[in-house]
Amino acid sequence: MNFVLIGAGGHARVVADIIALSGGQVVAYSDTMQAEWLSAKRYESDAEAADSHPDAALALGFGGVSPATLARRRATLNADWADKRMWPNLVHPDASVARTSELGRAVQIMAGARIQPGAKIGDGAIVNTGAIVEHETTVGDGCHIAPGAIILGDCIIGEATMIGAGAVVLPGTSIASAFLLPALTRYPI
């Protein structure tokens, strides 16, 4: 499958690796600066990159939960040019996703991550390298679970929250949304 990568920073390198390991190829990307590590055609605008390959799937190539990143993530997933396009979930071959877990759209599960039975991962969320999301936990839209973080069972992680590297969230904990952006979108994240 061909992909257009929206963004080309450090997180995009990991996403491009998952795409390659899954037999896909990045055919275009958007970024204002040349990504020397990526041989695909560069476009300065997200829409132009996506329009250059209308049959390619789209993948988010930027991580983090700063207000600017969250606004871009939300705008990208809801842009007219992105509406009705494929936003497949990207799961590293060395990750484990239980069959009874639920993944939203454009979810990224990195190497060594574990998603246990009954867990729900929201749209555009990132479960980074070696992170664990235990049973019956809900991770909200746009969250970033950093490398090595462990979220134990029956937790609720609110929209757009970052759980830091190596953090442990104890069972039954609820964490409110980190950013409350205006709900002006068709798909909340």
Side-chain angles (χ1 to χ4, degrees):
M1 176 183 293
N2 289 336
F3 282 84
V4 173
L5 192 56
I6 307 301
H11 183 74
R13 291 183 81 138
V14 179
V15 172
D17 188 56
I18 294 172
I19 290 169
L21 287 169
S22 301
Q25 178 181 357
V26 176
V27 294
Y29 71 97
S30 62
D31 199 32
T32 56
M33 299 185 66
Q34 184 71 36
E36 300 296 327
W37 57 270
L38 191 55
S39 62
K41 172 102 171 109
R42 177 180 67 86
Y43 295 88
E44 289 195 21
S45 121
D46 296 343
E48 187 180 16
D51 289 345
S52 71
H53 294 275
D55 294 329
L58 303 176
L60 295 172
F62 49 92
V65 291
S66 71
T69 300
L70 289 173
R72 183 178 183 200
R73 196 174 269 281
R74 181 178 277 184
T76 300
L77 286 173
N78 293 298
D80 289 339
W81 55 263
D83 199 26
K84 299 188 177 33
R85 291 287 296 267
M86 287 188 302
W87 288 95
N89 294 324
L90 297 173
V91 179
H92 192 282
D94 291 335
S96 172
V97 178
R99 20 178 212 96
T100 60
S101 60
E102 296 176 27
L103 303 181
R105 69 185 183 117
V107 171
Q108 297 174 351
I109 311 292
M110 305 308 180
R114 301 287 181 252
I115 310 299
Q116 299 296 6
K120 295 178 184 175
I121 311 297
D123 293 348
I126 300 166
V127 180
N128 220 321
T129 308
I132 298 171
V133 178
E134 282 292 346
H135 60 88
E136 282 75 50
T137 286
T138 299
V139 174
D141 295 345
C143 286
H144 186 152
I145 310 304
I150 300 171
I151 303 174
L152 297 172
D154 298 309
C155 291
I156 298 173
I157 309 301
E159 174 186 6
T161 300
M162 180 168 206
I163 303 298
V168 176
V169 179
L170 297 176
T173 301
S174 292
I175 299 175
S177 296
F179 299 103
L180 299 175
L181 297 176
L184 301 175
T185 63
R186 291 184 297 266
Y187 302 105
I189 76 153

